[in-house]
Amino acid sequence: MHDFLPKEAAALVQLERTFREVTSRYGFAEVRTPLVEHTELFLRSIGEVTDIVEKEMYTFDDGKKSLTLRPEGTASCVRAYLQHSVHGKESVSKWAYLGPMYRRERPAKGRYRQFFQVGCEVYGDEGPVVDAEVIELAVRFIEALGITGVRVLINSLGGEETRAAYRDALVDYLTPQKDKLSEDSQRRLTLNPLRVLDSKAPQDQEIAAGAPQLSSFLTEEDTAHFKGVQTALSALNVEFEVEYRLVRGLDYYTRTLFEVKGPGDLGNQDTLCGGGRYDRMIEELGGPKTPAIGFAMGVERLLISMGDAQKEKHAKEAALDAFLVVGSELETQAISIASQLRSAGVSVDLDGRGRSFKSQFRRADKSGARHALVFGSDEAEAGVMQVKHLESGKQSQVPISELADALIAAR
Ligand code: AMP
């Protein structure tokens, strides 16, 4: 699990702000659900034969019930959607969420046991136009963070009929080669054969390469839906690649599936965003038949891809407007001026330990503040301050009554 010290946290906060801005432009509203849910919810929604449920959940007994720290956000959103009968109140709901998720995975660069996700869900719209809009939103958000060079991969898993037919064909293809598959895949072959295609084991990948293509099993309606997604994506100027081998680890997907891959400094953990349609889940969890689509992105991976220049920019935006450098006899007056400046919306700090001017200047420099405000006895008498721009060294004298406006204008 990872600590965000202030500089990194500033980039995180900026990322969250950008996410809220971009999602609200597309009509999404934020939801907050608890960090824990009944374990059963994840078994039923994510699927029992998945890495998450088999190996990665932090589960505990609270004395009465088995609870689990949420490993992802979709199941919690669907639970809340049903619990509050939102489907009965509005025909289409567009939700955005952000927060920590928990998976007991092997840690690696860009892979943590507590990680943050931002995500979106749309309920009540079967697409295909909304599918493209959701993918576009994901891409525009990543662009807004200054990340370039990403790739969008899309696929369609088809509806229920398609999945069943494909499953049979896949089992027929894999069974004669069963002995050559990894242990995990041998077990999954009967429980969840689609997952074999998603395996990272080299011997499985080799066999998966020759497997029948899911695309040839799509029904006419599935194909029309998938074409619709592609047409809409082109209209939105979102570049994409159709990747028929894209499966993804979660059980619940139907039809549209997509990933956004990062620009390449993430090694194996280069999937910034994963998402897709899950038209059956709401019904399977006891609600009315309701189409749904969503995505989630790993915040830590976005931060790695953003690079230092972007993070510096965000840290600068969050910097103090000014650091006060004060003669020791003027401290009481100085804290009162600082208080007035803060009330006027200016960010100010000062050193109240009675240190020398030199030492206060050192702290001003270190604080990253844009300006130092020098307040000695001459300035106090004249009712002014020396405003020193710390990067350029340029200095000017400003009346105290005009300070707030001058500092805000100088941002
Ligand atoms: P998933 O919920 O598995 O579809 O993952 C969606 C996104 O969350 C991935 O593409 C990653 O960016 C991120 N993610 C998933 N697991 C982790 C993890 N253990 N650490 C950091 N990010 C993760």
Side-chain angles (χ1 to χ4, degrees), residues 52 71-72 103 105 110-113 115-117 248 250 253 271-275 296-301:
I52 294 181
E72 52 108 58
R103 296 182 196 174
E105 291 196 79
R111 190 167 69 208
Y112 306 94
R113 293 181 163 185
F115 58 99
F116 286 76
Q117 280 188 340
R248 296 198 54 72
L250 289 81
Y253 289 120
T271 306
L272 292 178
C273 170
M297 295 193 204
V299 165
E300 288 81 358
R301 291 183 200 181

Side-chain angles (χ1 to χ4, degrees), residues 198-312:
D198 204 24
S199 165
K200 298 272 181 295
Q203 71 266 41
D204 295 345
Q205 289 188 343
E206 210 173 290
I207 294 173
Q213 295 240 342
L214 194 143
S215 54
S216 52
F217 289 79
L218 294 179
T219 62
E220 235 169 81
E221 280 129 0
D222 290 336
T223 307
H225 189 279
F226 194 34
K227 283 256 146 55
V229 176
Q230 295 177 53
T231 307
L233 280 175
S234 301
L236 294 167
N237 293 318
V238 174
E239 278 181 40
F240 60 89
E241 299 161 41
V242 175
E243 172 51 89
Y244 287 116
R245 305 227 159 265
L246 187 64
V247 203
R248 296 198 54 72
L250 289 81
D251 245 8
Y252 50 58
Y253 289 120
T254 48
R255 288 198 164 163
T256 312
L257 197 63
F258 64 97
E259 280 188 354
V260 184
K261 295 277 191 192
D265 40 4
L266 286 160
N268 276 337
Q269 313 301 322
D270 66 345
T271 306
L272 292 178
C273 170
R277 185 161 274 293
Y278 50 99
D279 291 342
R280 290 173 310 162
M281 194 201 290
I282 293 177
E283 199 178 8
E284 278 171 11
L285 292 179
K289 201 168 167 28
T290 310
I293 183 167
F295 68 74
M297 295 193 204
V299 165
E300 288 81 358
R301 291 183 200 181
L302 292 169
L303 290 174
I304 294 172
S305 304
M306 272 164 71
D308 293 338
Q310 284 293 326
K311 277 182 248 171
E312 285 294 322

Side-chain angles (χ1 to χ4, degrees), residues 95-349:
W95 287 6
Y97 63 86
L98 45 87
M101 308 293 162
Y102 302 85
R103 296 182 196 174
R104 197 173 42 234
E105 291 196 79
R106 205 148 27 86
K109 187 177 180 190
R111 190 167 69 208
Y112 306 94
R113 293 181 163 185
Q114 174 185 279
F115 58 99
F116 286 76
Q117 280 188 340
V118 296
C120 284
E121 315 287 350
V122 180
Y123 304 116
D125 186 334
E126 67 275 10
V129 166
V130 78
D131 303 40
E133 278 202 300
V134 163
I135 297 171
E136 190 213 7
L137 189 169
V139 171
R140 301 293 175 237
F141 165 61
I142 292 172
E143 284 172 358
L145 297 176
I147 301 170
T148 53
V150 298
R151 290 167 59 215
V152 178
L153 309 180
I154 62 169
N155 191 18
S156 174
L157 294 183
E160 225 160 318
E161 231 177 281
T162 307
R163 288 268 296 237
Y166 183 62
R167 194 191 142 106
D168 291 347
L170 197 59
V171 172
D172 287 348
Y173 167 78
L174 293 172
T175 306
Q177 315 184 64
K178 186 173 174 190
D179 295 344
K180 287 189 255 164
L181 292 170
S182 70
E183 219 173 285
D184 263 350
S185 289
Q186 292 196 15
R187 196 168 41 81
R188 284 173 176 166
L189 176 56
T190 38
L191 296 168
N192 188 353
L194 236 75
R195 290 301 319 281
V196 176
L197 300 182
D198 204 24
S199 165
K200 298 272 181 295
Q203 71 266 41
D204 295 345
Q205 289 188 343
E206 210 173 290
I207 294 173
Q213 295 240 342
L214 194 143
S215 54
S216 52
F217 289 79
L218 294 179
T219 62
E220 235 169 81
E221 280 129 0
D222 290 336
T223 307
H225 189 279
F226 194 34
K227 283 256 146 55
V229 176
Q230 295 177 53
T231 307
L233 280 175
S234 301
L236 294 167
N237 293 318
V238 174
E239 278 181 40
F240 60 89
E241 299 161 41
V242 175
E243 172 51 89
Y244 287 116
R245 305 227 159 265
L246 187 64
V247 203
R248 296 198 54 72
L250 289 81
D251 245 8
Y252 50 58
Y253 289 120
T254 48
R255 288 198 164 163
T256 312
L257 197 63
F258 64 97
E259 280 188 354
V260 184
K261 295 277 191 192
D265 40 4
L266 286 160
N268 276 337
Q269 313 301 322
D270 66 345
T271 306
L272 292 178
C273 170
R277 185 161 274 293
Y278 50 99
D279 291 342
R280 290 173 310 162
M281 194 201 290
I282 293 177
E283 199 178 8
E284 278 171 11
L285 292 179
K289 201 168 167 28
T290 310
I293 183 167
F295 68 74
M297 295 193 204
V299 165
E300 288 81 358
R301 291 183 200 181
L302 292 169
L303 290 174
I304 294 172
S305 304
M306 272 164 71
D308 293 338
Q310 284 293 326
K311 277 182 248 171
E312 285 294 322
K313 193 176 136 229
H314 294 319
K316 269 203 170 144
E317 279 161 13
L320 283 170
D321 290 312
F323 198 98
L324 264 165
V325 174
V326 201
S328 56
E329 72 288 1
L330 295 166
E331 258 170 18
T332 318
Q333 213 178 320
I335 56 170
S336 145
I337 296 170
S339 168
Q340 285 163 27
L341 286 172
R342 288 166 180 155
S343 300
V346 176
S347 55
V348 186
D349 201 3

Side-chain angles (χ1 to χ4, degrees), residues 75-95:
S76 307
C77 286
V78 169
R79 198 260 317 131
Y81 179 79
L82 287 176
Q83 188 173 327
H84 301 280
S85 304
V86 182
H87 49 86
K89 296 170 193 152
E90 51 193 39
S91 60
V92 176
S93 306
K94 296 167 92 174
W95 287 6

